[in-house]
PDB file of all heavy atoms in Angstrom:
ATOM      1  N   GLU S1415      34.588 -35.184 160.466  1.00  0.00           N
ATOM      2  CA  GLU S1415      35.940 -35.405 159.973  1.00  0.00           C
ATOM      3  C   GLU S1415      36.724 -36.237 161.015  1.00  0.00           C
ATOM      4  O   GLU S1415      37.433 -37.191 160.670  1.00  0.00           O
ATOM      5  CB  GLU S1415      36.645 -34.081 159.705  1.00  0.00           C
ATOM      6  CG  GLU S1415      38.032 -34.247 159.103  1.00  0.00           C
ATOM      7  CD  GLU S1415      38.657 -32.895 158.769  1.00  0.00           C
ATOM      8  OE1 GLU S1415      37.924 -31.896 158.710  1.00  0.00           O
ATOM      9  OE2 GLU S1415      39.914 -32.870 158.487  1.00  0.00           O
ATOM     10  N   GLU S1416      36.613 -35.818 162.257  1.00  0.00           N
ATOM     11  CA  GLU S1416      37.301 -36.545 163.341  1.00  0.00           C
ATOM     12  C   GLU S1416      36.787 -37.951 163.451  1.00  0.00           C
ATOM     13  O   GLU S1416      37.578 -38.895 163.671  1.00  0.00           O
ATOM     14  CB  GLU S1416      37.087 -35.747 164.671  1.00  0.00           C
ATOM     15  CG  GLU S1416      37.726 -36.398 165.873  1.00  0.00           C
ATOM     16  CD  GLU S1416      37.330 -35.710 167.187  1.00  0.00           C
ATOM     17  OE1 GLU S1416      36.303 -35.035 167.203  1.00  0.00           O
ATOM     18  OE2 GLU S1416      38.099 -35.890 168.160  1.00  0.00           O
ATOM     19  N   LEU S1417      35.489 -38.134 163.326  1.00  0.00           N
ATOM     20  CA  LEU S1417      34.884 -39.458 163.431  1.00  0.00           C
ATOM     21  C   LEU S1417      35.396 -40.416 162.391  1.00  0.00           C
ATOM     22  O   LEU S1417      35.777 -41.556 162.667  1.00  0.00           O
ATOM     23  CB  LEU S1417      33.365 -39.336 163.334  1.00  0.00           C
ATOM     24  CG  LEU S1417      32.560 -40.603 163.412  1.00  0.00           C
ATOM     25  CD1 LEU S1417      32.759 -41.372 164.672  1.00  0.00           C
ATOM     26  CD2 LEU S1417      31.045 -40.310 163.220  1.00  0.00           C
ATOM     27  N   VAL S1418      35.415 -39.951 161.128  1.00  0.00           N
ATOM     28  CA  VAL S1418      35.909 -40.790 160.040  1.00  0.00           C
ATOM     29  C   VAL S1418      37.368 -41.199 160.317  1.00  0.00           C
ATOM     30  O   VAL S1418      37.789 -42.329 160.048  1.00  0.00           O
ATOM     31  CB  VAL S1418      35.803 -40.064 158.692  1.00  0.00           C
ATOM     32  CG1 VAL S1418      36.508 -40.837 157.602  1.00  0.00           C
ATOM     33  CG2 VAL S1418      34.321 -39.872 158.339  1.00  0.00           C
ATOM     34  N   GLU S1419      38.169 -40.252 160.843  1.00  0.00           N
ATOM     35  CA  GLU S1419      39.596 -40.561 161.123  1.00  0.00           C
ATOM     36  C   GLU S1419      39.713 -41.667 162.199  1.00  0.00           C
ATOM     37  O   GLU S1419      40.502 -42.579 162.050  1.00  0.00           O
ATOM     38  CB  GLU S1419      40.306 -39.317 161.592  1.00  0.00           C
ATOM     39  CG  GLU S1419      41.804 -39.519 161.809  1.00  0.00           C
ATOM     40  CD  GLU S1419      42.519 -38.284 162.274  1.00  0.00           C
ATOM     41  OE1 GLU S1419      41.866 -37.264 162.504  1.00  0.00           O
ATOM     42  OE2 GLU S1419      43.761 -38.350 162.450  1.00  0.00           O
ATOM     43  N   HIS S1420      38.851 -41.593 163.220  1.00  0.00           N
ATOM     44  CA  HIS S1420      38.889 -42.623 164.288  1.00  0.00           C
ATOM     45  C   HIS S1420      38.491 -43.991 163.691  1.00  0.00           C
ATOM     46  O   HIS S1420      39.178 -45.002 163.937  1.00  0.00           O
ATOM     47  CB  HIS S1420      37.895 -42.266 165.387  1.00  0.00           C
ATOM     48  CG  HIS S1420      38.434 -41.327 166.408  1.00  0.00           C
ATOM     49  ND1 HIS S1420      39.154 -41.780 167.524  1.00  0.00           N
ATOM     50  CD2 HIS S1420      38.408 -39.986 166.535  1.00  0.00           C
ATOM     51  CE1 HIS S1420      39.522 -40.738 168.272  1.00  0.00           C
ATOM     52  NE2 HIS S1420      39.079 -39.658 167.700  1.00  0.00           N
ATOM     53  N   VAL S1421      37.386 -44.029 162.959  1.00  0.00           N
ATOM     54  CA  VAL S1421      36.873 -45.267 162.400  1.00  0.00           C
ATOM     55  C   VAL S1421      37.908 -45.865 161.463  1.00  0.00           C
ATOM     56  O   VAL S1421      38.254 -47.056 161.529  1.00  0.00           O
ATOM     57  CB  VAL S1421      35.511 -45.036 161.682  1.00  0.00           C
ATOM     58  CG1 VAL S1421      35.124 -46.272 160.837  1.00  0.00           C
ATOM     59  CG2 VAL S1421      34.434 -44.708 162.693  1.00  0.00           C
ATOM     60  N   ALA S1422      38.409 -45.072 160.537  1.00  0.00           N
ATOM     61  CA  ALA S1422      39.331 -45.580 159.527  1.00  0.00           C
ATOM     62  C   ALA S1422      40.629 -46.055 160.169  1.00  0.00           C
ATOM     63  O   ALA S1422      41.157 -47.136 159.814  1.00  0.00           O
ATOM     64  CB  ALA S1422      39.648 -44.474 158.497  1.00  0.00           C
ATOM     65  N   SER S1423      41.125 -45.355 161.159  1.00  0.00           N
ATOM     66  CA  SER S1423      42.371 -45.737 161.832  1.00  0.00           C
ATOM     67  C   SER S1423      42.214 -47.052 162.591  1.00  0.00           C
ATOM     68  O   SER S1423      43.162 -47.910 162.587  1.00  0.00           O
ATOM     69  CB  SER S1423      42.802 -44.620 162.774  1.00  0.00           C
ATOM     70  OG  SER S1423      43.120 -43.437 162.093  1.00  0.00           O
ATOM     71  N   SER S1424      41.105 -47.194 163.256  1.00  0.00           N
ATOM     72  CA  SER S1424      40.876 -48.483 163.975  1.00  0.00           C
ATOM     73  C   SER S1424      40.787 -49.656 163.018  1.00  0.00           C
ATOM     74  O   SER S1424      41.404 -50.714 163.239  1.00  0.00           O
ATOM     75  CB  SER S1424      39.557 -48.377 164.776  1.00  0.00           C
ATOM     76  OG  SER S1424      39.287 -49.579 165.481  1.00  0.00           O
ATOM     77  N   LEU S1425      40.057 -49.474 161.903  1.00  0.00           N
ATOM     78  CA  LEU S1425      39.921 -50.568 160.965  1.00  0.00           C
ATOM     79  C   LEU S1425      41.260 -50.903 160.310  1.00  0.00           C
ATOM     80  O   LEU S1425      41.584 -52.102 160.098  1.00  0.00           O
ATOM     81  CB  LEU S1425      38.880 -50.187 159.876  1.00  0.00           C
ATOM     82  CG  LEU S1425      37.437 -50.046 160.384  1.00  0.00           C
ATOM     83  CD1 LEU S1425      36.556 -49.519 159.304  1.00  0.00           C
ATOM     84  CD2 LEU S1425      36.916 -51.413 160.905  1.00  0.00           C
ATOM     85  N   ARG S1426      42.028 -49.907 159.996  1.00  0.00           N
ATOM     86  CA  ARG S1426      43.353 -50.143 159.394  1.00  0.00           C
ATOM     87  C   ARG S1426      44.260 -50.902 160.375  1.00  0.00           C
ATOM     88  O   ARG S1426      45.079 -51.732 159.958  1.00  0.00           O
ATOM     89  CB  ARG S1426      44.026 -48.824 159.020  1.00  0.00           C
ATOM     90  CG  ARG S1426      43.448 -48.139 157.811  1.00  0.00           C
ATOM     91  CD  ARG S1426      44.336 -47.030 157.266  1.00  0.00           C
ATOM     92  NE  ARG S1426      43.658 -46.228 156.282  1.00  0.00           N
ATOM     93  CZ  ARG S1426      43.072 -45.069 156.508  1.00  0.00           C
ATOM     94  NH1 ARG S1426      43.150 -44.553 157.778  1.00  0.00           N
ATOM     95  NH2 ARG S1426      42.488 -44.396 155.577  1.00  0.00           N
ATOM     96  N   ALA S1427      44.076 -50.614 161.660  1.00  0.00           N
ATOM     97  CA  ALA S1427      44.908 -51.315 162.673  1.00  0.00           C
ATOM     98  C   ALA S1427      44.405 -52.716 162.934  1.00  0.00           C
ATOM     99  O   ALA S1427      45.055 -53.477 163.691  1.00  0.00           O
ATOM    100  CB  ALA S1427      44.909 -50.485 163.962  1.00  0.00           C
ATOM    101  N   GLY S1428      43.261 -53.108 162.379  1.00  0.00           N
ATOM    102  CA  GLY S1428      42.723 -54.455 162.519  1.00  0.00           C
ATOM    103  C   GLY S1428      41.755 -54.598 163.666  1.00  0.00           C
ATOM    104  O   GLY S1428      41.486 -55.728 164.097  1.00  0.00           O
ATOM    105  N   TYR S1429      41.208 -53.489 164.154  1.00  0.00           N
ATOM    106  CA  TYR S1429      40.301 -53.558 165.294  1.00  0.00           C
ATOM    107  C   TYR S1429      38.874 -53.199 164.872  1.00  0.00           C
ATOM    108  O   TYR S1429      38.646 -52.240 164.114  1.00  0.00           O
ATOM    109  CB  TYR S1429      40.733 -52.602 166.409  1.00  0.00           C
ATOM    110  CG  TYR S1429      42.057 -52.972 166.994  1.00  0.00           C
ATOM    111  CD1 TYR S1429      43.194 -52.152 166.819  1.00  0.00           C
ATOM    112  CD2 TYR S1429      42.198 -54.145 167.715  1.00  0.00           C
ATOM    113  CE1 TYR S1429      44.403 -52.476 167.372  1.00  0.00           C
ATOM    114  CE2 TYR S1429      43.411 -54.504 168.271  1.00  0.00           C
ATOM    115  CZ  TYR S1429      44.518 -53.688 168.081  1.00  0.00           C
ATOM    116  OH  TYR S1429      45.749 -54.034 168.632  1.00  0.00           O
ATOM    117  N   GLY S1430      37.903 -53.969 165.390  1.00  0.00           N
ATOM    118  CA  GLY S1430      36.508 -53.683 165.161  1.00  0.00           C
ATOM    119  C   GLY S1430      36.092 -52.389 165.862  1.00  0.00           C
ATOM    120  O   GLY S1430      36.707 -51.960 166.848  1.00  0.00           O
ATOM    121  N   VAL S1431      35.034 -51.762 165.354  1.00  0.00           N
ATOM    122  CA  VAL S1431      34.524 -50.511 165.918  1.00  0.00           C
ATOM    123  C   VAL S1431      33.094 -50.727 166.422  1.00  0.00           C
ATOM    124  O   VAL S1431      32.272 -51.240 165.711  1.00  0.00           O
ATOM    125  CB  VAL S1431      34.562 -49.395 164.856  1.00  0.00           C
ATOM    126  CG1 VAL S1431      34.152 -48.054 165.502  1.00  0.00           C
ATOM    127  CG2 VAL S1431      35.961 -49.271 164.251  1.00  0.00           C
ATOM    128  N   HIS S1432      32.876 -50.327 167.675  1.00  0.00           N
ATOM    129  CA  HIS S1432      31.567 -50.536 168.339  1.00  0.00           C
ATOM    130  C   HIS S1432      31.152 -49.167 168.881  1.00  0.00           C
ATOM    131  O   HIS S1432      31.817 -48.567 169.725  1.00  0.00           O
ATOM    132  CB  HIS S1432      31.804 -51.522 169.503  1.00  0.00           C
ATOM    133  CG  HIS S1432      30.545 -51.997 170.146  1.00  0.00           C
ATOM    134  ND1 HIS S1432      30.107 -53.319 170.014  1.00  0.00           N
ATOM    135  CD2 HIS S1432      29.639 -51.388 170.958  1.00  0.00           C
ATOM    136  CE1 HIS S1432      29.011 -53.470 170.704  1.00  0.00           C
ATOM    137  NE2 HIS S1432      28.699 -52.345 171.313  1.00  0.00           N
ATOM    138  N   VAL S1433      30.012 -48.630 168.379  1.00  0.00           N
ATOM    139  CA  VAL S1433      29.637 -47.225 168.629  1.00  0.00           C
ATOM    140  C   VAL S1433      28.313 -47.097 169.264  1.00  0.00           C
ATOM    141  O   VAL S1433      27.273 -47.628 168.776  1.00  0.00           O
ATOM    142  CB  VAL S1433      29.685 -46.462 167.286  1.00  0.00           C
ATOM    143  CG1 VAL S1433      29.411 -45.007 167.573  1.00  0.00           C
ATOM    144  CG2 VAL S1433      31.033 -46.624 166.605  1.00  0.00           C
ATOM    145  N   HIS S1434      28.252 -46.360 170.368  1.00  0.00           N
ATOM    146  CA  HIS S1434      27.027 -46.032 171.078  1.00  0.00           C
ATOM    147  C   HIS S1434      26.314 -44.917 170.295  1.00  0.00           C
ATOM    148  O   HIS S1434      26.906 -43.873 170.048  1.00  0.00           O
ATOM    149  CB  HIS S1434      27.373 -45.523 172.490  1.00  0.00           C
ATOM    150  CG  HIS S1434      26.240 -44.859 173.248  1.00  0.00           C
ATOM    151  ND1 HIS S1434      25.654 -45.416 174.346  1.00  0.00           N
ATOM    152  CD2 HIS S1434      25.639 -43.685 173.042  1.00  0.00           C
ATOM    153  CE1 HIS S1434      24.720 -44.606 174.786  1.00  0.00           C
ATOM    154  NE2 HIS S1434      24.664 -43.540 173.986  1.00  0.00           N
ATOM    155  N   SER S1435      25.058 -45.177 169.906  1.00  0.00           N
ATOM    156  CA  SER S1435      24.259 -44.193 169.176  1.00  0.00           C
ATOM    157  C   SER S1435      22.840 -44.218 169.612  1.00  0.00           C
ATOM    158  O   SER S1435      22.171 -45.261 169.503  1.00  0.00           O
ATOM    159  CB  SER S1435      24.364 -44.467 167.678  1.00  0.00           C
ATOM    160  OG  SER S1435      23.471 -43.641 166.962  1.00  0.00           O
ATOM    161  N   ILE S1436      22.341 -43.123 170.173  1.00  0.00           N
ATOM    162  CA  ILE S1436      20.948 -43.019 170.641  1.00  0.00           C
ATOM    163  C   ILE S1436      20.117 -42.105 169.748  1.00  0.00           C
ATOM    164  O   ILE S1436      19.061 -42.477 169.288  1.00  0.00           O
ATOM    165  CB  ILE S1436      20.907 -42.509 172.068  1.00  0.00           C
ATOM    166  CG1 ILE S1436      21.572 -43.539 173.013  1.00  0.00           C
ATOM    167  CG2 ILE S1436      19.466 -42.279 172.508  1.00  0.00           C
ATOM    168  CD1 ILE S1436      20.784 -44.846 173.232  1.00  0.00           C
ATOM    169  N   GLY S1437      20.566 -40.881 169.532  1.00  0.00           N
ATOM    170  CA  GLY S1437      19.795 -39.889 168.740  1.00  0.00           C
ATOM    171  C   GLY S1437      19.978 -40.058 167.261  1.00  0.00           C
ATOM    172  O   GLY S1437      20.906 -40.730 166.791  1.00  0.00           O
ATOM    173  N   ASP S1438      19.080 -39.414 166.490  1.00  0.00           N
ATOM    174  CA  ASP S1438      19.101 -39.585 165.015  1.00  0.00           C
ATOM    175  C   ASP S1438      20.320 -38.952 164.380  1.00  0.00           C
ATOM    176  O   ASP S1438      20.885 -39.461 163.399  1.00  0.00           O
ATOM    177  CB  ASP S1438      17.807 -39.096 164.389  1.00  0.00           C
ATOM    178  CG  ASP S1438      17.486 -37.627 164.676  1.00  0.00           C
ATOM    179  OD1 ASP S1438      18.223 -37.002 165.460  1.00  0.00           O
ATOM    180  OD2 ASP S1438      16.458 -37.141 164.179  1.00  0.00           O
ATOM    181  N   LYS S1439      20.833 -37.853 164.975  1.00  0.00           N
ATOM    182  CA  LYS S1439      22.021 -37.246 164.394  1.00  0.00           C
ATOM    183  C   LYS S1439      23.261 -38.071 164.679  1.00  0.00           C
ATOM    184  O   LYS S1439      24.187 -38.167 163.886  1.00  0.00           O
ATOM    185  CB  LYS S1439      22.194 -35.783 164.926  1.00  0.00           C
ATOM    186  CG  LYS S1439      23.262 -35.008 164.137  1.00  0.00           C
ATOM    187  CD  LYS S1439      23.197 -33.538 164.421  1.00  0.00           C
ATOM    188  CE  LYS S1439      24.114 -32.731 163.535  1.00  0.00           C
ATOM    189  NZ  LYS S1439      24.029 -31.267 163.817  1.00  0.00           N
ATOM    190  N   ALA S1440      23.268 -38.676 165.860  1.00  0.00           N
ATOM    191  CA  ALA S1440      24.359 -39.611 166.212  1.00  0.00           C
ATOM    192  C   ALA S1440      24.385 -40.779 165.228  1.00  0.00           C
ATOM    193  O   ALA S1440      25.496 -41.141 164.702  1.00  0.00           O
ATOM    194  CB  ALA S1440      24.197 -40.119 167.647  1.00  0.00           C
ATOM    195  N   GLN S1441      23.230 -41.325 164.959  1.00  0.00           N
ATOM    196  CA  GLN S1441      23.180 -42.439 163.984  1.00  0.00           C
ATOM    197  C   GLN S1441      23.581 -42.002 162.583  1.00  0.00           C
ATOM    198  O   GLN S1441      24.299 -42.720 161.867  1.00  0.00           O
ATOM    199  CB  GLN S1441      21.806 -43.102 164.002  1.00  0.00           C
ATOM    200  CG  GLN S1441      21.773 -44.407 163.221  1.00  0.00           C
ATOM    201  CD  GLN S1441      20.400 -44.861 162.941  1.00  0.00           C
ATOM    202  OE1 GLN S1441      19.583 -44.213 162.310  1.00  0.00           O
ATOM    203  NE2 GLN S1441      20.055 -46.080 163.360  1.00  0.00           N
ATOM    204  N   GLN S1442      23.129 -40.832 162.229  1.00  0.00           N
ATOM    205  CA  GLN S1442      23.441 -40.291 160.873  1.00  0.00           C
ATOM    206  C   GLN S1442      24.960 -40.172 160.734  1.00  0.00           C
ATOM    207  O   GLN S1442      25.523 -40.602 159.711  1.00  0.00           O
ATOM    208  CB  GLN S1442      22.771 -38.916 160.725  1.00  0.00           C
ATOM    209  CG  GLN S1442      23.004 -38.278 159.347  1.00  0.00           C
ATOM    210  CD  GLN S1442      22.375 -36.883 159.327  1.00  0.00           C
ATOM    211  OE1 GLN S1442      22.856 -35.949 159.990  1.00  0.00           O
ATOM    212  NE2 GLN S1442      21.292 -36.753 158.584  1.00  0.00           N
ATOM    213  N   TYR S1443      25.619 -39.619 161.733  1.00  0.00           N
ATOM    214  CA  TYR S1443      27.052 -39.438 161.635  1.00  0.00           C
ATOM    215  C   TYR S1443      27.808 -40.759 161.536  1.00  0.00           C
ATOM    216  O   TYR S1443      28.717 -40.922 160.692  1.00  0.00           O
ATOM    217  CB  TYR S1443      27.561 -38.687 162.841  1.00  0.00           C
ATOM    218  CG  TYR S1443      27.562 -37.148 162.700  1.00  0.00           C
ATOM    219  CD1 TYR S1443      26.534 -36.493 162.066  1.00  0.00           C
ATOM    220  CD2 TYR S1443      28.605 -36.398 163.233  1.00  0.00           C
ATOM    221  CE1 TYR S1443      26.542 -35.122 161.954  1.00  0.00           C
ATOM    222  CE2 TYR S1443      28.628 -34.992 163.109  1.00  0.00           C
ATOM    223  CZ  TYR S1443      27.548 -34.374 162.464  1.00  0.00           C
ATOM    224  OH  TYR S1443      27.590 -33.018 162.357  1.00  0.00           O
ATOM    225  N   ILE S1444      27.454 -41.709 162.378  1.00  0.00           N
ATOM    226  CA  ILE S1444      28.230 -42.968 162.384  1.00  0.00           C
ATOM    227  C   ILE S1444      27.942 -43.808 161.130  1.00  0.00           C
ATOM    228  O   ILE S1444      28.824 -44.469 160.609  1.00  0.00           O
ATOM    229  CB  ILE S1444      28.042 -43.757 163.697  1.00  0.00           C
ATOM    230  CG1 ILE S1444      29.056 -44.922 163.748  1.00  0.00           C
ATOM    231  CG2 ILE S1444      26.617 -44.227 163.894  1.00  0.00           C
ATOM    232  CD1 ILE S1444      30.513 -44.541 163.581  1.00  0.00           C
ATOM    233  N   LEU S1445      26.692 -43.777 160.668  1.00  0.00           N
ATOM    234  CA  LEU S1445      26.398 -44.502 159.433  1.00  0.00           C
ATOM    235  C   LEU S1445      27.219 -43.912 158.273  1.00  0.00           C
ATOM    236  O   LEU S1445      27.782 -44.656 157.452  1.00  0.00           O
ATOM    237  CB  LEU S1445      24.892 -44.398 159.089  1.00  0.00           C
ATOM    238  CG  LEU S1445      23.978 -45.340 159.865  1.00  0.00           C
ATOM    239  CD1 LEU S1445      22.505 -44.965 159.639  1.00  0.00           C
ATOM    240  CD2 LEU S1445      24.201 -46.802 159.434  1.00  0.00           C
ATOM    241  N   ASP S1446      27.295 -42.611 158.189  1.00  0.00           N
ATOM    242  CA  ASP S1446      28.068 -41.958 157.121  1.00  0.00           C
ATOM    243  C   ASP S1446      29.563 -42.224 157.265  1.00  0.00           C
ATOM    244  O   ASP S1446      30.272 -42.404 156.275  1.00  0.00           O
ATOM    245  CB  ASP S1446      27.789 -40.473 157.086  1.00  0.00           C
ATOM    246  CG  ASP S1446      26.378 -40.120 156.608  1.00  0.00           C
ATOM    247  OD1 ASP S1446      25.678 -41.025 156.110  1.00  0.00           O
ATOM    248  OD2 ASP S1446      25.962 -38.985 156.757  1.00  0.00           O
ATOM    249  N   ALA S1447      30.043 -42.279 158.506  1.00  0.00           N
ATOM    250  CA  ALA S1447      31.473 -42.525 158.737  1.00  0.00           C
ATOM    251  C   ALA S1447      31.795 -43.978 158.375  1.00  0.00           C
ATOM    252  O   ALA S1447      32.827 -44.249 157.752  1.00  0.00           O
ATOM    253  CB  ALA S1447      31.823 -42.298 160.199  1.00  0.00           C
ATOM    254  N   PHE S1448      30.914 -44.938 158.730  1.00  0.00           N
ATOM    255  CA  PHE S1448      31.153 -46.297 158.297  1.00  0.00           C
ATOM    256  C   PHE S1448      31.134 -46.451 156.785  1.00  0.00           C
ATOM    257  O   PHE S1448      31.889 -47.190 156.192  1.00  0.00           O
ATOM    258  CB  PHE S1448      30.092 -47.229 158.935  1.00  0.00           C
ATOM    259  CG  PHE S1448      30.435 -47.633 160.346  1.00  0.00           C
ATOM    260  CD1 PHE S1448      29.381 -47.810 161.294  1.00  0.00           C
ATOM    261  CD2 PHE S1448      31.715 -47.873 160.786  1.00  0.00           C
ATOM    262  CE1 PHE S1448      29.664 -48.208 162.587  1.00  0.00           C
ATOM    263  CE2 PHE S1448      31.986 -48.241 162.067  1.00  0.00           C
ATOM    264  CZ  PHE S1448      30.974 -48.425 162.977  1.00  0.00           C
ATOM    265  N   TYR S1449      30.237 -45.690 156.139  1.00  0.00           N
ATOM    266  CA  TYR S1449      30.195 -45.796 154.671  1.00  0.00           C
ATOM    267  C   TYR S1449      31.505 -45.224 154.062  1.00  0.00           C
ATOM    268  O   TYR S1449      32.038 -45.809 153.091  1.00  0.00           O
ATOM    269  CB  TYR S1449      29.001 -45.048 154.119  1.00  0.00           C
ATOM    270  CG  TYR S1449      28.787 -45.252 152.642  1.00  0.00           C
ATOM    271  CD1 TYR S1449      28.164 -46.431 152.199  1.00  0.00           C
ATOM    272  CD2 TYR S1449      29.203 -44.309 151.704  1.00  0.00           C
ATOM    273  CE1 TYR S1449      28.000 -46.624 150.810  1.00  0.00           C
ATOM    274  CE2 TYR S1449      29.062 -44.507 150.379  1.00  0.00           C
ATOM    275  CZ  TYR S1449      28.458 -45.679 149.914  1.00  0.00           C
ATOM    276  OH  TYR S1449      28.296 -45.896 148.580  1.00  0.00           O
ATOM    277  N   ALA S1450      31.972 -44.177 154.632  1.00  0.00           N
ATOM    278  CA  ALA S1450      33.230 -43.602 154.115  1.00  0.00           C
ATOM    279  C   ALA S1450      34.390 -44.543 154.247  1.00  0.00           C
ATOM    280  O   ALA S1450      35.346 -44.498 153.479  1.00  0.00           O
ATOM    281  CB  ALA S1450      33.524 -42.277 154.865  1.00  0.00           C
ATOM    282  N   ALA S1451      34.315 -45.424 155.266  1.00  0.00           N
ATOM    283  CA  ALA S1451      35.420 -46.388 155.507  1.00  0.00           C
ATOM    284  C   ALA S1451      35.055 -47.813 155.099  1.00  0.00           C
ATOM    285  O   ALA S1451      35.672 -48.754 155.535  1.00  0.00           O
ATOM    286  CB  ALA S1451      35.776 -46.364 156.991  1.00  0.00           C
ATOM    287  N   LYS S1452      34.063 -47.933 154.230  1.00  0.00           N
ATOM    288  CA  LYS S1452      33.518 -49.281 153.970  1.00  0.00           C
ATOM    289  C   LYS S1452      34.499 -50.203 153.251  1.00  0.00           C
ATOM    290  O   LYS S1452      34.422 -51.434 153.373  1.00  0.00           O
ATOM    291  CB  LYS S1452      32.269 -49.153 153.081  1.00  0.00           C
ATOM    292  CG  LYS S1452      32.461 -48.555 151.711  1.00  0.00           C
ATOM    293  CD  LYS S1452      31.109 -48.416 150.967  1.00  0.00           C
ATOM    294  CE  LYS S1452      31.282 -47.671 149.645  1.00  0.00           C
ATOM    295  NZ  LYS S1452      32.166 -48.371 148.720  1.00  0.00           N
ATOM    296  N   ASP S1453      35.503 -49.659 152.591  1.00  0.00           N
ATOM    297  CA  ASP S1453      36.457 -50.517 151.840  1.00  0.00           C
ATOM    298  C   ASP S1453      37.719 -50.805 152.650  1.00  0.00           C
ATOM    299  O   ASP S1453      38.617 -51.511 152.148  1.00  0.00           O
ATOM    300  CB  ASP S1453      36.843 -49.856 150.528  1.00  0.00           C
ATOM    301  CG  ASP S1453      35.636 -49.687 149.593  1.00  0.00           C
ATOM    302  OD1 ASP S1453      34.800 -50.593 149.611  1.00  0.00           O
ATOM    303  OD2 ASP S1453      35.566 -48.669 148.850  1.00  0.00           O
TER     304      ASP S1453
END
């Protein structure tokens, strides 16, 4: 929930988001957060 809020707020403000992801759960979370904010 916190992740989606960060991603969405940055995109609304006009800033790109660049995310460090190494493990599979990290990638799972950020992929899902980007999808939630895709529009």
Side-chain angles (χ1 to χ4, degrees):
E1415 183 177 347
E1416 179 187 21
L1417 177 61
V1418 171
E1419 185 181 2
H1420 276 274
V1421 169
S1423 296
S1424 178
L1425 294 173
R1426 287 194 191 98
Y1429 295 113
V1431 184
H1432 189 111
V1433 183
H1434 167 112
S1435 170
I1436 295 289
D1438 57 358
K1439 193 168 187 177
Q1441 190 193 58
Q1442 182 184 70
Y1443 271 39
I1444 189 55
L1445 281 169
D1446 290 348
F1448 277 145
Y1449 188 79
K1452 63 183 175 61
D1453 295 326

